[in-house]
Amino acid sequence: YYIYEMGNNHDKALGTAFSYLGYLGTSTKTAEEIKSELYKMACSFNVIATNERVYVYVNGLSDNFEKAMALLEERLADAKADQEIYSNRVKDILKQRSDAKLNQYSNFNQLVNYAIWGPNSPSRNILSESELNALNPEELVARTKNLKNLEHTIMYYGPLSEQQIKEAINKNHAVGETLQPIPEPQKFTELETTENKVLLAFYDAKQIYMAMMHRGGSFDKNIETSRNMYNNYFGGSMNSIVFQEMREARGLAYSAGANYQRPGKPDRPYILNTMIATQNDKMMEAIETFNDILNNMPESEKTFAIAKERIITNIRTQRILRDQILWNYLSAKEFGYTTDTRKELFEEIPKMTLEDVKTFQQKYVKNKPFTYCILGDTKDLDMDALKKIGPVTTLTQEEIFGY
């Protein structure tokens, strides 16, 4: 892997550039010829942009590693722009966007993103239709060719020795004489949750999807054991309090869950989120019940014992293997750990009591304000009841999707 600490938040055209790359040939090979060569070698490669990282990878049969790596480098350095291919790629992107608006979960996901970030969000930070059509394909290819000039980390898992992999990299991997630092990203900030409010989006269905979101504090290693224990006890499985109360005991949900979610980056906040799918006419009962169990958490020693044993059993039986060793190492290092992050869990969870979970719940969950995200058929919803929760804002698809 070549890992670049930049992504669409740094340049919103990167995702388009790298998806376009997969359709391009070079000055000596067509895209089909490259695909055929990789197939014969039992290898694959790709370039992917997430919001915060770019991953360039090659994997497959180790005997053909250097050949595949050389072919990857050839495409990165010598990709040939093609206007017709790009025009077709734009049509594909616009079709995918149109299809996303028809999908209930995609609408719900975008509504939740809007609740967390507001209108200035990573998920809305995309090229508009006019920007896509105006882009010169050569500009996209230039982004690919410039990767060799940017600082990056190389990660390898396989049978080659350290010396062999160094020699392969030195032989095949093109880098600029002076590597440029990664540019600054566009800043996105999660919204503070200071009061109850309701965000409503229309979707023609007989059931609603609803989430309740609260922005928590900054990442804190000292609460991670308690956080894990709370999540497993309260909202982590079919044995959890949420599932048992919302679905099994009261029949209020098709699915339900809750999580005090760790941030993806150490400089980001925790997010307390709940999710429920229920019938339109059960919305208010579901909201009232969820708030009740959030604020007055049911206490069950039996459920607590099951949750505790589940965590310990998972650690005992889970094996981090192959390249996952490296990904776990990078994540632990980023969050300030010097050991496997499960080590502390394994040592501390057996000592925990239900009272510890209650203490966490009272400090980080109880009586917190929420942004309520509701996706459903608005004509079937009790709008007067929703207004009693907090100010109601109805959002259009264009507002939540950004197009």
Side-chain angles (χ1 to χ4, degrees):
Y1 289 85
Y2 310 152
I3 304 169
Y4 299 79
E5 296 298 330
M6 68 171 190
N8 293 315
N9 289 353
H10 299 72
D11 177 359
K12 63 183 180 180
L14 286 181
T16 303
F18 299 146
S19 67
Y20 175 53
L21 177 67
Y23 296 90
L24 302 181
T26 66
S27 59
T28 59
K29 296 181 179 70
T30 66
E32 281 301 314
E33 287 172 337
I34 293 173
K35 184 178 179 180
S36 178
E37 284 192 36
L38 285 170
Y39 180 78
K40 292 174 184 176
M41 290 188 286
C43 293
S44 63
F45 59 62
N46 205 352
V47 186
I48 299 171
T50 64
N51 284 338
E52 295 174 326
R53 273 183 176 167
V54 168
Y55 302 94
V56 182
Y57 72 83
V58 56
N59 60 29
L61 194 62
S62 185
D63 289 348
N64 294 324
F65 168 67
E66 282 206 56
K67 291 179 183 177
M69 185 180 180
L71 189 57
L72 165 65
E73 293 282 344
E74 181 181 348
R75 175 176 262 179
L76 293 176
D78 191 34
K80 296 302 177 186
D82 183 297
Q83 181 61 53
E84 182 179 358
I85 292 175
Y86 178 66
S87 297
N88 288 331
R89 184 72 195 115
V90 171
K91 291 177 184 177
D92 289 342
I93 292 171
L94 297 178
K95 176 65 165 57
Q96 290 165 2
R97 291 182 181 181
S98 178
D99 290 346
K101 286 188 172 183
L102 301 175
N103 182 275
Q104 187 176 16
Y105 185 77
S106 294
N107 278 265
F108 181 64
N109 189 51
Q110 288 298 114
L111 178 60
V112 169
N113 283 331
Y114 193 98
I116 294 173
W117 304 94
N120 185 35
S121 74
S123 67
R124 284 170 42 96
N125 181 41
I126 58 176
L127 294 170
S128 67
E129 182 174 351
S130 60
E131 287 174 323
L132 283 168
N133 287 318
L135 259 179
N136 184 339
E138 293 287 355
E139 296 176 25
L140 297 178
V141 171
R143 285 172 166 83
T144 299
K145 294 181 178 179
N146 188 51
L147 286 175
K148 71 178 189 299
N149 297 315
L150 296 170
E151 292 178 352
H152 56 282
T153 298
I154 300 177
M155 192 171 85
Y156 171 79
Y157 175 87
L160 297 184
S161 68
E162 182 179 346
Q163 185 58 36
Q164 287 174 318
I165 189 63
K166 284 181 178 179
E167 290 174 357
I169 291 169
N170 290 334
K171 177 182 176 182
N172 296 290
H173 182 42
V175 293
E177 289 187 13
T178 303
L179 293 182
Q180 305 162 8
I182 297 298
E184 286 296 312
Q186 183 174 342
K187 297 295 184 183
F188 299 100
T189 304
E190 296 88 342
L191 301 177
E192 296 282 357
T193 318
T194 56
E195 61 180 0
N196 285 340
K197 58 184 177 181
V198 179
L199 300 181
L200 192 62
F202 174 82
Y203 190 86
D204 187 9
K206 293 302 180 183
Q207 69 175 27
I208 63 163
Y209 283 179
M210 185 188 77
M212 297 159 58
M213 318 296 296
H214 174 82
R215 172 180 163 160
S218 302
F219 175 73
D220 181 359
K221 286 197 292 185
N222 296 319
I223 71 168
E224 281 298 284
T225 300
S226 298
R227 182 188 67 85
N228 273 277
M229 191 67 252
Y230 171 79
N231 285 344
N232 274 272
Y233 172 73
F234 186 72
S237 73
M238 288 190 293
N239 291 311
S240 69
I241 295 297
V242 167
F243 193 89
Q244 291 298 315
E245 290 288 330
M246 301 300 293
R247 178 169 172 170
E248 298 300 301
R250 313 195 196 197
L252 289 173
Y254 299 105
S255 62
N259 189 301
Y260 197 79
Q261 184 178 317
R262 192 184 85 161
K265 293 282 186 179
D267 59 346
R268 296 275 174 80
Y270 290 98
I271 299 291
L272 170 60
N273 66 76
T274 75
M275 185 274 172
I276 188 170
T278 189
Q279 293 169 225
N280 293 348
D281 59 354
K282 292 184 176 179
M283 176 186 70
M284 289 311 302
E285 187 181 357
I287 289 175
E288 290 166 4
T289 303
F290 224 135
N291 273 308
D292 181 46
I293 63 174
L294 281 165
N295 295 326
N296 306 293
M297 184 182 69
E299 298 178 37
S300 166
E301 288 290 349
K302 180 181 177 182
T303 301
F304 176 73
I306 292 172
K308 180 188 285 191
E309 182 59 30
R310 183 170 55 248
I311 295 174
I312 296 301
T313 299
N314 286 342
I315 295 175
R316 282 196 178 115
T317 58
Q318 183 186 31
R319 296 293 179 266
I320 296 176
L321 304 171
R322 302 174 62 84
D323 60 327
Q324 287 302 312
I325 297 169
L326 296 170
W327 293 119
N328 276 267
Y329 167 77
L330 290 179
S331 177
K333 184 179 178 182
E334 183 176 27
F335 280 86
Y337 291 93
T338 56
T339 64
D340 186 331
T341 56
R342 300 172 303 166
K343 182 175 185 292
E344 183 176 315
L345 271 183
F346 192 77
E347 293 171 348
E348 297 299 324
I349 287 293
K351 306 173 189 176
M352 293 198 72
T353 65
L354 184 52
E355 189 63 29
D356 294 322
V357 175
K358 186 177 179 180
T359 298
F360 180 92
Q361 176 261 345
Q362 290 180 334
K363 182 173 182 179
Y364 296 100
V365 178
K366 187 173 183 176
N367 295 328
K368 299 298 183 186
F370 285 99
T371 298
Y372 294 77
C373 315
I374 301 173
L375 178 76
D377 190 340
T378 49
K379 70 177 183 296
D380 291 339
L381 303 182
D382 188 341
M383 298 301 293
D384 290 334
L386 285 178
K387 290 175 183 177
K388 293 178 182 178
I389 295 173
V392 177
T393 301
T394 301
L395 298 167
T396 64
Q397 279 193 313
E398 185 174 352
E399 287 175 310
I400 61 174
F401 278 93
Y403 57 87

